């Protein structure tokens, strides 16, 4: 479904900055409203329920489970990530990837391209990436039928992982996936596999090894340099292509892998008042991103019209990546 278009010479088509509506969106929104307003439907279908175990029968994000099927792979990924993700590395990757000259393609083409990428940092997932995107989005639709922008965030939150694809330079896993964290200050113990930072040069740099490092109390996350990865890349792609999604959507995309913050409460001393307001949406999103992973696949053909209508509403037809 959809044709991949990769041509750095193609001009991104201009679009009206105002949100666009469509019959597809209205139809799917009406179905969602019927689901949550009708007691019979609600009882038979049910709102999103968090499972107790992942697809491998273990607890979610069980990074210390020694018998996990993917634990060795995940630990190797984090060893490389925590060794190489320094302040200088993040700055170099921004310079490299924020030229937006790699490809011109639509959001849906990028969703399909992501199926060729494997995330070595995830101990919970073995399904194609597009299934994770759709499972997340569909779970959000159950609980938040009115927040259509939130549905789209579920679909696109991981699209930055295309940096793993040869068309985008085939970056190493440690430069694209895994939990994100601030660089330029001390690594908090709440970060997964924090013991693996011992070989990171910034750990031994006096400028970066204190709680605040180069930052100030309540400086705001906009002023904090995060470790480089798919979150930051997709956020920058959205800004560069003038998405009309609301600010909280961009916040969720940018920090959804910042588990030390939204799951453990670390680094809150860096947050501004606006960050605290947006954090509630990030905490809501985490439930769906993490616990919707399942072997039960979403029918892509069935839901495509709805999500394409949201893409048309909030994005230009094609984007520069």
């Amino acid at each position: 479904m959809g044709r991949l278009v990769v041509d750095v010479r193609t001009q991104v088509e201009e679009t009206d900055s105002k949100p666009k509506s469509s019959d597809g969106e209205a139809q799917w929104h009406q179905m969602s409203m019927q689901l949550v307003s009708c007691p019979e439907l609600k009882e038979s279908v049910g709102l999103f329920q968090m499972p107790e175990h992942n697809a491998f029968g273990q607890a979610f994000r069980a990074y210390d489970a020694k018998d996990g099927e993917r634990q060795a792979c995940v630990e190797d990924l984090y060893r490389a990530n925590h060794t190489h993700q320094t302040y200088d590395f993040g700055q170099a990757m921004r310079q490299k990837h924020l030229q937006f000259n790699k490809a011109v393609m639509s959001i849906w083409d990028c969703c399909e391209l992501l199926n060729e990428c494997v995330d070595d940092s995830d101990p919970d997932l073995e399904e194609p990436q597009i299934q994770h995107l759709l499972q997340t989005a569909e779970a959000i639709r159950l609980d938040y039928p009115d927040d259509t922008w939130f549905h789209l965030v579920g679909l696109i939150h991981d699209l930055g992982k295309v940096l793993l694809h040869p068309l985008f330079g085939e970056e190493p896993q440690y430069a694209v996936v895994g939990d994100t964290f601030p660089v330029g200050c001390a690594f908090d113990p709440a970060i997964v596999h924090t013991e693996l930072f011992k070989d990171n040069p910034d750990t031994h740099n006096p400028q970066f090894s204190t709680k605040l490092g180069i930052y100030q109390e309540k400086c705001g996350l906009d002023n904090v340099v995060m470790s480089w990865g798919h979150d930051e890349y997709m956020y920058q792609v959205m800004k560069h292509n003038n998405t009309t999604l609301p600010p909280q959507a961009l916040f969720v995309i940018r920090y959804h892998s910042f588990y030390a913050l939204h799951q453990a409460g670390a680094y809150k001393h860096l947050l501004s008042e606006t960050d605290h307001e947006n954090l509630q949406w990030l905490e809501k999103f985490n439930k769906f991103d993490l616990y919707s992973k399942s072997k039960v696949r979403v029918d892509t053909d069935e839901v495509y019209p709805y999500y394409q209508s949201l893409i048309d509403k909030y994005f230009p037809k094609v984007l520069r990546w």
Side-chain angles (χ1 to χ4, degrees), residues 206-274:
Q207 184 183 18
F208 299 146
S209 58
T210 63
K211 181 178 180 179
L212 283 174
I214 62 175
Y215 309 113
Q216 295 181 347
E217 195 94 11
K218 301 180 181 179
C219 62
L221 290 181
D222 278 344
N223 297 307
V224 173
V225 178
M226 298 293 293
S227 57
W228 175 257
H230 67 281
D231 299 44
E232 182 69 16
Y233 179 63
M234 188 58 194
Y235 164 79
Q236 295 291 350
V237 167
M238 293 166 66
K239 282 193 63 178
H240 182 76
N241 289 278
N242 300 315
T243 180
T244 57
L245 281 167
Q248 57 266 38
L250 275 72
F251 187 90
V252 171
I253 295 290
R254 195 177 196 183
Y255 300 113
H256 73 271
S257 298
F258 191 3
Y259 276 86
L261 169 65
H262 62 74
Q263 191 171 69
Y267 296 105
K268 286 191 174 181
H269 58 282
L270 298 176
L271 271 57
S272 66
E273 291 185 9
T274 300

Side-chain angles (χ1 to χ4, degrees), residues 129-141:
Q129 283 290 314
I130 197 169
Q131 282 298 312
H132 169 54
L133 302 181
L134 289 171
Q135 287 171 354
T136 303
E138 287 292 279
I140 292 172
R141 284 180 66 196

Side-chain angles (χ1 to χ4, degrees), residues 126-306:
E126 65 176 358
E127 298 301 312
Q129 283 290 314
I130 197 169
Q131 282 298 312
H132 169 54
L133 302 181
L134 289 171
Q135 287 171 354
T136 303
E138 287 292 279
I140 292 172
R141 284 180 66 196
L142 286 176
D143 282 4
Y144 295 90
D146 293 329
D147 298 304
T148 59
W149 66 266
F150 204 16
H151 309 165
L152 185 56
V153 167
L155 180 72
I156 67 175
H157 73 281
D158 273 348
L159 292 191
K161 291 180 182 179
V162 292
L163 290 175
L164 296 170
H165 196 279
L167 288 172
F168 285 73
E170 200 169 9
E171 289 291 350
Q173 292 269 337
Y174 69 78
V176 180
V177 300
D179 287 14
T180 57
F181 42 84
V183 291
C185 61
F187 301 116
D188 193 276
I191 302 171
V192 63
H193 280 310
T194 188
E195 75 281 0
L196 298 178
F197 282 113
K198 60 183 178 61
D199 294 325
N200 186 305
D202 286 1
T203 300
H204 313 288
N205 184 333
Q207 184 183 18
F208 299 146
S209 58
T210 63
K211 181 178 180 179
L212 283 174
I214 62 175
Y215 309 113
Q216 295 181 347
E217 195 94 11
K218 301 180 181 179
C219 62
L221 290 181
D222 278 344
N223 297 307
V224 173
V225 178
M226 298 293 293
S227 57
W228 175 257
H230 67 281
D231 299 44
E232 182 69 16
Y233 179 63
M234 188 58 194
Y235 164 79
Q236 295 291 350
V237 167
M238 293 166 66
K239 282 193 63 178
H240 182 76
N241 289 278
N242 300 315
T243 180
T244 57
L245 281 167
Q248 57 266 38
L250 275 72
F251 187 90
V252 171
I253 295 290
R254 195 177 196 183
Y255 300 113
H256 73 271
S257 298
F258 191 3
Y259 276 86
L261 169 65
H262 62 74
Q263 191 171 69
Y267 296 105
K268 286 191 174 181
H269 58 282
L270 298 176
L271 271 57
S272 66
E273 291 185 9
T274 300
D275 292 332
H276 279 288
E277 293 172 1
N278 287 328
L279 182 58
Q280 63 176 320
W281 285 104
L282 185 57
E283 292 169 339
K284 292 173 182 177
F285 176 78
N286 173 246
K287 164 185 172 181
F288 306 106
D289 182 22
L290 181 58
Y291 296 107
S292 65
K293 298 168 185 175
S294 168
K295 291 182 179 294
V296 180
R297 297 193 178 189
V298 177
D299 187 328
T300 305
D301 291 337
E302 181 179 348
V303 300
Y304 169 77
Y306 174 65

